[in-house]
Amino acid sequence: MTDRYAVFGNPIAHSKSPQIHTAFAQQTEQDLSYEALLAPVDAFSESFNEFLQRQGKGANITVPFKQDAYERAESLTPRAQRAGAVNTLWQDEQGVVHGDTTDGVGLVRDLTQNQQLDLKGKRILILGAGGAVRGVIEPILAEQPAQLVIANRTVSKAEQLAELFADFGAISSCGFADLAGQQFDVVVNGTAASLAGDLPPLPDDLLAEGAACYDMMYSKEITVFNQWALDHGAVKAIDGLGMLVEQAAESFNIWRGVQPKTDQVMAQLREALNQS
Ligand code: ATR
């Protein structure tokens, strides 16, 4: 029988996950279906339970339900536990619902494998300290950067994250104003500012020579942050489309035990985006 998977979100119509997972299933010859499901904002758990009753095997979880998914999971991977968010759920044969987060692995794979950036020994800056950033800190620290700085508009939130992940590597926190005089080799934008076409206040000399920038958002036109990066000397300005596909590949592997190839799917999505 065809196994059922889905992505839950609200809104969800724009989701590219069905297209990505359907392509992975074809490529790896896995018999599964994958759909986008809209859950009411206050009833994620009910929607997910109904999905399980109708032979649902596993799901991806997107905005605004990653916290609800964390609470719904009966068993969490250590990285999901620390991130406090879940983007991948699945039910095992005993009926136990497991939760994991694959966003961070997705980002690191896009940086290190697709973009061929070695993060070891690098000075890395992350802008933002919200849910999106929380999930990527541990995998970035695992690459052993020289330092990882979390800068956020609300400094206390950056401080909390730096404390939470202190045991995993050289992490510190600050506000945007404290960035004056500092230089970084890799800068990742994890703020929601891009969504509104906005940019955190950044010093003009923030980027070290040869620096690469990464916006966790993506769009048809270059994002405001990536435009800023190119205008300030970045040799690369990468958007989050690769992260989206890589986090999906990691979820697919968790569910099916097969690691799909991502390059063709990424190229197809980019082309569709350019033509939209
Ligand atoms: P997400 O799940 O997308 O991370 P979030 O948890 O609401 O969403 O976090 C949004 C992040 O974007 C936060 O770091 C937020 O800064 P604050 O913690 O100070 O609110 C940041 N952010 C949103 N709009 C911003 C803006 N215009 N300038 C700078 N940072 C912004």
Side-chain angles (χ1 to χ4, degrees):
M1 201 170 75
T2 302
D3 291 335
R4 267 186 92 197
Y5 293 87
V7 57
F8 286 84
N10 190 332
I12 199 61
H14 67 284
S15 174
K16 306 226 180 305
S17 293
Q19 194 185 335
I20 297 170
H21 283 280
T22 303
F24 287 163
Q26 278 168 2
Q27 180 205 119
T28 59
E29 300 183 342
Q30 295 280 307
D31 185 14
L32 61 86
S33 70
Y34 191 108
E35 64 206 294
L37 293 175
L38 180 76
V41 280
D42 57 351
F44 165 74
S45 215
E46 290 82 344
S47 299
F48 180 71
N49 291 345
E50 203 176 288
F51 170 72
L52 290 180
Q53 279 159 16
R54 288 184 289 120
Q55 273 65 54
K57 287 254 174 191
N60 285 128
I61 314 300
T62 187
V63 177
F65 298 126
K66 289 186 184 182
Q67 182 83 41
D68 298 273
Y70 175 86
E71 279 152 28
R72 175 63 185 83
E74 290 146 341
S75 158
L76 292 163
T77 60
R79 66 187 180 191
Q81 180 99 52
R82 281 186 289 270
V86 156
N87 78 339
T88 307
L89 285 172
W90 68 99
Q91 190 174 40
D92 68 18
E93 277 164 15
Q94 284 71 45
V96 178
V97 173
H98 298 264
D100 197 359
T101 176
T102 64
D103 289 328
V105 177
L107 171 65
V108 168
R109 249 185 226 151
D110 197 31
L111 284 167
T112 59
Q113 294 181 13
N114 302 333
Q115 303 294 335
Q116 300 280 301
L117 284 171
D118 186 3
L119 303 181
K120 191 169 178 168
K122 297 282 164 58
R123 295 162 292 177
I124 303 182
L125 170 66
I126 300 187
L127 306 170
V133 168
R134 222 179 145 96
V136 304
I137 294 176
E138 189 178 334
I140 289 183
L141 286 173
E143 298 295 308
Q144 299 180 292
Q147 58 167 154
L148 175 59
V149 175
I150 312 290
N152 196 43
R153 183 173 60 183
T154 311
V155 183
S156 59
K157 283 212 245 164
E159 284 169 354
Q160 278 166 18
L161 286 190
E163 241 167 70
L164 188 63
F165 291 94
D167 291 345
F168 293 84
I171 184 169
S172 60
S173 59
C174 66
F176 295 128
D178 306 312
L179 293 172
Q182 299 194 58
Q183 268 80 46
F184 295 90
D185 305 301
V186 179
V187 181
V188 177
N189 180 30
T191 69
S194 286
L195 277 178
D198 210 352
L199 193 66
L202 300 173
D204 285 342
D205 59 352
L206 183 70
L207 303 181
E209 203 176 326
C213 289
Y214 195 102
D215 199 335
M216 284 162 72
M217 313 270 162
Y218 67 89
S219 56
K220 181 180 176 181
E221 313 297 342
I222 186 166
T223 66
V224 185
F225 171 72
N226 278 352
Q227 188 59 57
W228 177 91
L230 293 179
D231 292 344
H232 291 79
V235 295
K236 272 188 180 194
I238 308 145
D239 75 11
L241 194 72
M243 176 179 174
L244 173 75
V245 177
E246 293 296 344
Q247 63 79 28
E250 180 71 3
S251 297
F252 192 92
N253 189 5
I254 289 169
W255 296 327
R256 310 300 297 184
V258 189
Q259 186 73 35
K261 292 199 184 70
T262 51
D263 46 354
Q264 273 189 9
V265 179
M266 240 178 271
Q268 281 162 8
L269 284 183
R270 181 68 68 191
E271 200 181 318
L273 191 62
N274 288 340
Q275 283 173 3
S276 65

